[in-house]
Amino acid sequence: MKKLCTILLALTLLTIVGCGDKSSEGTTTEPSSTSKETTKQTEKVEEKKVLKLGETGRMKDTLGEYDVTVHSFEILEEYDGTKPYFEVFIVADVTIENIGDTSLDSWSITRTRLENVERGTGTDNEGTNFPEEILPGEKVSGKIYFDNYPEGSYELIFGFALSTVSNELTWTFDVSEASNK
């Protein structure tokens, strides 16, 4: 019995010494994935550009490179014979110029979001009237419409929450700036 206790004591001591001090002295650690994600989010926020109606911003994403100008917007109770789910349609008049070397899929690049700042709500666009493809060097104008509320101020965002873009463009405007008010 005495030998068994001695063996158990020896094994316990070996286990303690073997596991020993877990200090990080002399070791290096990789940044955590949370740290890397925070850095990426910070970089994206730093690249967010805020514009006013009539100003042009440049988008760079996996689809290509293009300039976007939001000229004006209207508030409509109906658009193309459709009634809104919320109160009105906010219809933005936009020009896109393809300054890259490849054709752009307009459906993909016009996936935008309209935030109603006062309400703290946002809606993705309901549709556009852009051509399906925008060729290199081509400049096209069209409308992007959103189902929203006719009050306060708005943020129209290109590149919202997309990992495929290198930047985010935001146009800010107030309901009083509507071209039909």
Side-chain angles (χ1 to χ4, degrees), residues 28-104:
T28 59
T29 58
E30 291 283 324
S32 69
S33 63
T34 305
S35 170
K36 289 178 185 176
E37 289 171 18
T38 303
T39 302
K40 285 181 184 177
Q41 289 172 348
T42 302
E43 288 172 3
K44 184 156 182 155
V45 169
E46 289 171 2
E47 295 179 33
K48 179 179 178 180
K49 187 170 183 180
V50 179
L51 304 158
K52 296 194 179 303
L53 293 175
E55 294 181 331
T56 301
R58 180 159 292 171
M59 288 295 296
K60 296 177 184 177
D61 61 26
T62 58
L63 299 171
E65 189 171 349
Y66 47 99
D67 287 339
V68 180
T69 306
V70 178
H71 300 283
S72 61
F73 74 100
E74 296 177 280
I75 298 173
L76 303 174
E77 292 180 9
E78 171 180 308
Y79 186 71
D80 280 345
T82 304
K83 297 272 187 193
Y85 177 78
F86 296 113
E87 293 181 25
V88 296
F89 284 115
I90 307 297
V91 182
D93 181 25
V94 177
T95 299
I96 298 173
E97 181 177 5
N98 183 349
I99 58 173
D101 298 333
T102 58
S103 295
L104 298 170

Side-chain angles (χ1 to χ4, degrees), residues 68-74 79 91-97 106 110 127-131 134 139-146 156 158:
V68 180
T69 306
V70 178
H71 300 283
S72 61
F73 74 100
E74 296 177 280
Y79 186 71
V91 182
D93 181 25
V94 177
T95 299
I96 298 173
E97 181 177 5
S106 69
T110 58
T128 75
N129 67 353
F130 280 90
I134 303 171
K139 187 179 205 176
V140 297
S141 293
K143 306 229 183 255
I144 303 175
Y145 62 100
F146 304 86
L156 174 54
F158 275 74

Side-chain angles (χ1 to χ4, degrees), residues 73 75 90 115-119 148-155 172-178:
F73 74 100
I75 298 173
I90 307 297
E115 296 282 333
N116 186 302
V117 177
E118 278 68 28
R119 283 186 175 257
N148 214 294
Y149 298 95
E151 59 199 32
S153 59
Y154 304 98
E155 291 182 345
T172 59
F173 46 92
D174 189 84
V175 71
S176 65
E177 296 177 77

